[in-house]
């Protein structure tokens, strides 16, 4: 919510400085997001008069001007067609920076003639789109005056973050009311004009009482629409609203000023009366943003006898919008159900300033006054004759009464506030405090529902900074750890991944449907997503990581190594998972290695094994098996399992179609570690036993076996390791060979076996016995000792 300091003073009688107001806003819960003074960037520009204008000797389209900016004549070269002697405009002094392009003005020769600055257009000063000529000010504009001061552009713009429960502060007056209650001034009375209408009001009715309980309207005929007054344009422009015409600007101004959205219809474009009804399936409307919206049915709309003209409470239609030729208008001031507005807005993915206010809940008792204020603005600025007022429906204006308990301010809020002070705060906020602390809630405070809400109002106005810091009681002794085993595991793996050089990513838990489809599709869909392409709860962490990797590569990263710990949302449960993605270069090009080297499946396997070891998983018992899924490249992917059914991780090179879908290079590697599948740690704690190195030196022996191509290295290693569990402490594959000397369809696998003696060294007979066991174990899976 943006407003200017001067605008605030239209409602708040105060002598507080800007800094005091800013501190006060944050203090009472209206957090200040920022402050900007639009006049600061124009501080070096002055009001100046052109004394003379002569043709440039070297260019037909340029003129040499003599300009007085308060310090005497200066020579300026100008190409504007409207530059002439006597014109009063805006002059940029040497050293000034032009806002539109960042150019710093300086003394320079233009076609051989010295120029000492620049006469400016509205576009160059970012005050409009006109660039056909320089700005023309009134003849009586004071020469030499800084332009921001003359134009009223030195009014600071305040940006305040309004929480969803504070619908009353979606207008400047509501913010002024809060500041007045906190002692930063007094709230000025709101002047509500009495508009004497002539004749009957316009034909409006309500058929959807749930979506639109009340629809008030008044017509003004014989008006002239044009440019809104300067003061209104300046305020709207300052908060980022583009002035359009008097009628449109009036509705926008009242909305930001008083928190009351309105809409005006060109009556010449209507066919019959207007009705607030539910849309029928298949109806459509072209909104004021130029987009066409197809209605599913059930949405609250404003329609005439021919078509839908307005998505009720969200955005008006383009067809019935006002223009420069409009002479007769219907002014709508309606109350829309907040829940219905929110549902329609989410369904159509349509946002607007009106929707922001209606779905929070505007003041239902402000329809008469809001319509009168808007109609009076139209009559004053556009002329015309007002009709009577038509009131269709009944707004929900029943006021709630809550029994306040003053003692709860201390017990619940932690601050002792005198009862007289509590009464004063509530009354200055608009509450009516009766006997026995019966508090009547004002119509504009939809968020107040109980005693705790009244306590909050008292505390925030009195000052949250006054609430003393009171430490909680702590039991004696050593604090008991509160982290669960799952949380400890997650921390351990996160630290291990970061220590190994992976960068942690945090991606959205909801993704697009097309991103979820390759991973089996989403079992859960968000009913009210923040965007249409973020409605599926992710079945895998990889879509988010792959998108993040693609963004990093596009921004110049040559090597991307990402990990994320989060949940997958499956049909049966949420599963805690770690995902990794490697893309780009594993090692850069260099004189030793030549070309840059990319990642392969073994990189993912190595990382996952290291993380599993950090998690305490029995890495030595893992089996490498296939069938990781269609996401990975067949033949370049696998799973890590404890037995055939317990899958701890999957990894591999992405399938080319998946890599292409995410705009990633071929050879991108990914993997997932399923934390919920890890076996529980045995024993009462995580303390390691004392390190006791073997007393005797280990012995290594190499074996080469010829096996069929279908036999994997993991199968052979596991068979060899299990041949003698007492003597064999390790076995690893160190060579694979196929070719001359090995029959077709077979390969040679070389295994290094480590034997560890216990109480005494191995004898030759013992070593031969172990060797025989190893050969026998390999023979069982079809291997033969290579000659």
């Amino acid at each position: 919510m943006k407003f200017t300091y001067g605008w605030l003073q239209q409602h708040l009688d105060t002598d507080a400085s800007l800094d005091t107001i800013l501190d006060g806003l944050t203090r009472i819960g209206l957090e200040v997001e920022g402050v900007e003074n639009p006049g600061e960037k124009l501080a070096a520009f002055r009001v100046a008069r052109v004394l003379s204008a002569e043709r440039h000797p070297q260019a037909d389209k340029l003129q040499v001007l003599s300009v007085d900016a308060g310090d005497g004549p200066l020579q300026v070269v100008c190409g504007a067609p409207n530059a002439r002697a006597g014109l009063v405009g805006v002059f940029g002094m040497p050293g000034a920076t032009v806002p539109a392009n960042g150019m710093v003005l300086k003394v320079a020769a233009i076609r051989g003639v010295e120029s000492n600055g620049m006469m400016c257009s509205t576009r160059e000063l970012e005050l409009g789109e006109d660039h056909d000529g320089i700005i023309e000010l009134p003849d009586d504009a004071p020469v030499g005056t800084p332009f921001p001061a003359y134009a009223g552009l030195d009014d600071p713009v305040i940006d305040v973050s309004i929480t969803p429960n504070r619908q009353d502060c979606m207008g400047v007056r509501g913010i002024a009311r809060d500041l007045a209650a906190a002692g930063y001034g007094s709230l000025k009375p709101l002047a509500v004009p009495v508009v004497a209408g002539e004749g009957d009001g316009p034909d409006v009715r309500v058929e959807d009482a749930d979506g639109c309980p009340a629809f008030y309207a008044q017509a003004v005929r014989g008006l002239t629409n044009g440019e809104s007054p300067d003061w209104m344009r300046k305020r709207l422009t300052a908060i980022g609203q583009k002035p359009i015409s008097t009628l449109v600007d009036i509705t926008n101004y009242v909305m930001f000023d008083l928190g009351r959205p309105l809409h005006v219809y060109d009556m010449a474009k209507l066919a019959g009366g207007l009705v607030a009804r539910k849309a029928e399936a298949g109806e459509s409307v072209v909104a004021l943003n130029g987009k066409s919206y197809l209605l599913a049915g059930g949405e609250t709309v404003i329609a005439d006898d021919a078509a839908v003209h307005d998505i009720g409470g969200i955005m008006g239609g383009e067809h019935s919008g006002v223009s420069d030729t409009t002479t007769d208008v219907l002014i709508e001031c309606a109350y829309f159900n907040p829940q219905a507005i929110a549902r329609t807005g989410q369904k159509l993915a349509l946002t607007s300033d009106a929707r922001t206010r209606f779905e929070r809940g505007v003041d239902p008792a402000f329809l008469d006054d809001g319509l009168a204020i808007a109609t009076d603005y139209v009559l004053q600025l556009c002329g015309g004759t007002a009709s009577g007022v038509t009131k269709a429906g009944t707004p929900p204006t029943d006021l709630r009464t809550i029994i306040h308990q003053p003692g709860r301010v201390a017990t619940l809020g932690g601050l002792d506030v005198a009862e007289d002070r509590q009464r004063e705060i509530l009354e200055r906020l608009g509450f009516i405090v009766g006997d026995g602390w019966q508090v009547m809630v004002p119509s504009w405070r939809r968020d107040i529902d109980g005693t705790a809400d009244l306590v909050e109002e008292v505390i925030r106005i009195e000052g949250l900074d006054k609430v003393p810091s009171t430490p909680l009681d702590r039991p004696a002794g050593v604090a008991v750890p509160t982290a669960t085993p799952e949380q400890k595991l997650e921390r351990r793996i996160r630290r291990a991944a970061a220590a190994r050089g992976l960068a942690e990513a945090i991606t959205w838990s909801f993704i697009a449907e097309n991103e979820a489809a390759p991973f089996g599709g989403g079992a859960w869909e968000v009913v009210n997503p923040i965007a249409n392409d973020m409605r599926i709860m992710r079945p895998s962490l990889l879509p988010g990581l792959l998108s993040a990797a693609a963004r990093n590569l596009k921004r110049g990263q040559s090597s991307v190594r990402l990990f994320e710990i989060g949940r997958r949302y499956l049909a049966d449960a949420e599963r805690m998972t770690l995902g990794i993605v490697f893309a780009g270069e594993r090692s850069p090009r260099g004189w030793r290695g030549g070309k840059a080297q990319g990642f392969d499946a073994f990189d993912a396997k190595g990382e996952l094994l290291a993380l599993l070891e950090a998690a305490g998983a029995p890495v030595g018992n893992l089996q490498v098996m296939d069938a990781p899924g269609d996401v990975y490249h067949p033949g370049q992917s696998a799973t890590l399992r404890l037995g055939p059914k317990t899958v701890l991780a999957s990894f591999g090179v992405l399938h080319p179609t998946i890599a292409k879908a995410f705009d990633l290079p071929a050879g991108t590697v990914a993997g997932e570690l399923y934390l919920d599948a890890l076996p529980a740690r045995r024993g009462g704690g995580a303390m390691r036993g004392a390190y006791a190195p073997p007393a005797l030196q280990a012995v290594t022996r190499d074996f080469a076996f010829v096996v069929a191509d279908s036999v994997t290295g993991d199968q052979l290693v596991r068979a060899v390791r299990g041949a003698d569990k007492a003597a064999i402490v390790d076995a690893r594959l160190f060579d694979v060979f196929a070719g001359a000397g090995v029959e077709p369809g077979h390969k040679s696998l070389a295994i290094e076996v480590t034997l560890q003696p216990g109480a005494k060294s191995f004898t030759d007979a013992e070593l031969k016995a172990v060797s025989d066991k190893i050969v026998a174990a390999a023979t069982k899976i079809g291997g033969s000792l290579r000659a």
Side-chain angles (χ1 to χ4, degrees):
M1 172 69 190
K2 290 185 177 182
F3 57 94
T4 69
Y5 182 51
W7 195 343
L8 177 67
Q9 290 176 314
Q10 295 296 309
H11 296 279
L12 183 68
D13 188 1
T14 181
D15 56 3
S17 66
L18 174 63
D19 290 340
T20 301
I21 292 295
L22 297 177
D23 290 341
L25 286 169
T26 299
R27 182 172 170 269
I28 61 178
L30 303 175
E31 185 177 356
V32 177
E33 293 283 338
V35 181
E36 180 184 2
N37 190 341
E40 289 181 352
K41 61 184 179 182
L42 301 177
F45 294 83
R46 298 185 188 179
V47 176
R49 183 183 301 275
V50 179
L51 303 177
S52 64
E54 305 291 339
R55 179 178 172 275
H56 192 290
Q58 302 297 329
D60 292 337
K61 293 185 179 181
L62 298 178
Q63 296 186 78
V64 180
L65 311 180
S66 177
V67 176
D68 179 15
D71 297 326
L74 289 173
Q75 181 173 279
V76 177
V77 176
C78 180
N82 63 331
R84 62 188 185 278
L87 179 145
V88 179
V90 181
F91 175 66
M93 306 288 291
T97 301
V98 180
N101 54 26
M103 179 178 66
V104 178
L105 300 178
K106 58 184 179 181
V107 178
I110 300 178
R111 292 288 187 92
V113 177
E114 183 180 271
S115 181
N116 298 273
M118 175 181 177
M119 295 296 291
C120 304
S121 69
T122 56
R123 184 190 295 179
E124 288 161 341
L125 299 186
E126 294 185 335
L127 299 176
E129 296 301 321
D130 185 14
H131 193 59
D132 294 334
I134 56 178
I135 297 173
E136 295 193 37
L137 301 177
D139 290 340
D140 59 353
V143 173
T145 303
F147 179 65
Y150 168 78
L153 298 174
D154 53 354
D155 191 6
V157 179
I158 306 169
D159 186 4
V160 176
S161 175
I162 306 297
T163 53
N165 64 316
R166 294 305 310 277
Q167 68 282 340
D168 58 307
C169 288
M170 292 303 291
V172 179
R173 184 166 183 81
I175 294 173
R177 183 188 296 112
D178 261 24
L179 287 169
Y184 292 94
S186 59
L187 186 67
K188 296 180 180 180
L190 179 63
V192 180
V194 177
V195 179
E198 299 179 6
D200 296 332
D203 179 14
V204 299
R205 63 187 189 278
V206 172
E207 294 180 359
D208 178 16
D210 291 333
C212 180
F215 185 178
Y216 290 10
Q218 190 167 17
V220 177
R221 296 180 174 86
L223 58 81
T224 302
N225 191 20
E227 188 176 69
S228 57
D230 187 59
W231 63 269
M232 184 178 288
R233 293 200 313 274
K234 286 179 179 177
R235 286 181 181 173
L236 292 175
T237 301
I239 64 173
Q241 295 292 313
K242 181 181 179 181
I244 297 174
S245 68
T246 305
L247 292 171
V248 176
D249 293 350
I250 287 172
T251 61
N252 286 334
Y253 183 79
V254 173
M255 177 172 61
F256 287 102
D257 187 45
L258 304 174
R260 160 40 68 182
L262 302 157
H263 188 61
V264 288
Y265 298 87
D266 188 333
M267 296 184 68
K269 300 176 181 178
L270 300 178
L274 290 179
V275 56
R277 62 171 173 83
K278 290 187 182 296
E280 298 178 3
E283 287 187 305
S284 64
V285 58
V286 178
L288 287 172
N289 60 5
K291 296 181 180 180
S292 178
Y293 293 91
L294 181 65
L295 305 177
E299 303 91 345
T300 300
V301 297
I302 308 297
D304 61 10
D305 296 341
V308 173
H309 290 289
D310 188 352
I311 303 172
I314 299 179
M315 189 171 289
E318 187 177 67
H319 173 70
S320 59
V322 297
S323 65
D324 292 342
T325 60
T326 298
T327 58
D328 302 334
V329 297
L330 182 150
I331 306 172
E332 167 209 306
C333 185
Y335 179 83
F336 295 94
N337 182 289
Q339 288 80 11
I341 291 292
R343 287 193 298 268
T344 300
Q346 292 167 0
K347 186 188 301 183
L348 300 178
L350 178 59
T351 59
S352 68
D353 291 312
R355 173 192 166 183
T356 300
R357 287 158 177 79
F358 275 124
E359 71 178 356
R360 295 181 185 215
V362 301
D363 184 0
F366 196 66
L367 272 70
D368 286 302
D369 292 349
L371 183 59
I373 291 170
T375 303
D376 187 62
Y377 273 131
V378 172
L379 294 174
Q380 289 187 42
L381 302 178
C382 301
T385 303
S387 73
V389 176
T390 302
K391 301 180 181 181
T394 304
T397 55
D398 294 339
L399 300 181
R400 299 184 303 280
T401 299
I402 300 172
I403 303 299
H404 179 48
Q405 302 173 40
R408 295 201 69 190
V409 172
T411 59
L412 184 61
L415 185 62
D416 191 8
V417 182
E419 291 190 6
D420 289 345
R421 174 60 177 157
Q422 293 187 41
R423 182 183 295 270
E424 177 190 2
I425 289 173
L426 292 174
E427 289 179 344
R428 295 188 73 170
L429 286 170
F431 296 86
I432 300 174
V433 184
D435 296 336
W437 286 100
Q438 295 189 61
V439 179
M440 186 174 292
V441 181
S443 57
W444 59 82
R445 291 305 300 271
R446 179 171 172 260
D447 58 307
I448 303 299
D449 194 48
T451 303
D453 296 319
L454 296 178
V455 170
E456 180 185 6
E457 292 301 294
V458 173
I459 292 294
R460 74 178 182 85
I461 296 299
E462 185 67 11
L464 290 170
D465 55 325
K466 295 182 181 180
V467 178
S469 300
T470 305
L472 297 174
D473 293 334
R474 176 177 175 179
V478 179
V480 178
T482 58
T484 64
E486 292 78 12
Q487 291 171 328
K488 293 178 181 178
L489 173 64
E490 181 181 331
R491 293 174 187 173
R492 190 161 58 249
I493 292 184
R494 177 177 282 110
R495 290 171 181 162
R500 293 183 61 81
L502 278 69
E504 183 174 11
I506 300 176
T507 65
W508 293 103
S509 296
F510 19 82
I511 59 178
E513 188 171 0
N514 63 315
E515 293 178 340
F519 298 86
W524 302 98
E525 182 175 342
V526 180
V527 176
N528 57 338
I530 61 175
N532 279 336
D533 59 348
M534 302 180 76
R535 61 174 60 250
I536 303 299
M537 300 302 292
R538 63 186 180 192
S540 167
L541 270 66
L542 295 186
L545 285 172
L546 295 175
S547 297
R551 287 193 297 271
N552 278 272
L553 291 176
K554 290 176 183 177
R555 284 160 177 76
Q557 289 292 324
S558 59
S559 181
V560 176
R561 292 162 54 88
L562 299 177
F563 83 95
E564 179 178 14
I565 297 178
R567 284 176 168 80
R568 296 177 297 135
Y569 299 88
L570 306 181
D572 58 339
E574 299 177 14
R575 305 288 185 182
M576 185 60 72
T577 306
L578 175 140
I580 61 172
V581 169
F582 299 161
E585 300 174 357
R586 177 179 58 185
S587 58
R589 62 182 181 178
W591 63 271
R592 295 184 64 185
K595 294 182 179 180
Q597 300 296 314
F599 294 101
D600 58 29
F602 293 103
D603 293 305
K605 177 185 176 184
E607 291 295 338
L608 292 175
L609 285 173
L611 296 176
L612 284 168
E613 187 172 9
V619 176
N621 297 332
L622 292 179
Q623 296 175 261
V624 179
M625 303 179 71
D626 56 3
D630 297 335
V631 174
Y632 298 102
H633 195 300
Q636 299 185 45
S637 57
T639 57
L640 297 174
R641 308 189 183 204
L642 279 175
K645 294 183 178 180
T646 305
V647 181
L648 298 188
S650 60
F651 64 91
V653 176
L654 282 182
H655 195 284
T657 58
I658 303 297
K660 183 178 180 181
F662 285 89
D663 201 14
L664 285 165
T668 298
V669 173
E672 286 186 307
L673 193 162
Y674 310 117
L675 301 182
D676 61 305
L678 294 177
R681 182 187 292 270
R682 295 181 180 178
M687 183 178 294
R688 298 177 182 176
Y691 176 62
L696 300 174
Q697 185 175 347
V699 178
T700 61
R701 289 288 186 270
D702 294 345
F703 298 84
F705 296 100
V706 177
V707 297
D709 286 341
S710 59
V711 177
T712 64
D714 180 67
Q715 288 177 286
L716 181 61
V717 169
R718 291 177 63 83
V720 169
R721 186 181 288 128
D724 189 331
K725 295 181 179 180
I728 301 174
V729 295
D730 191 21
R732 69 180 186 89
L733 177 71
F734 70 87
D735 184 58
V736 179
F737 174 76
V742 178
E743 61 180 296
H746 290 71
K747 58 188 174 184
S748 171
L749 301 180
I751 306 291
E752 179 187 79
V753 181
T754 303
L755 309 175
Q756 178 62 55
K760 61 183 184 65
S761 298
F762 290 120
T763 64
D764 290 341
E766 290 172 336
L767 289 175
K768 184 178 185 310
V770 173
S771 298
D772 292 341
K773 292 179 181 179
I774 292 174
V775 173
T779 303
K780 289 182 179 180
I781 61 171
S784 60
L785 192 64
R786 185 179 175 189

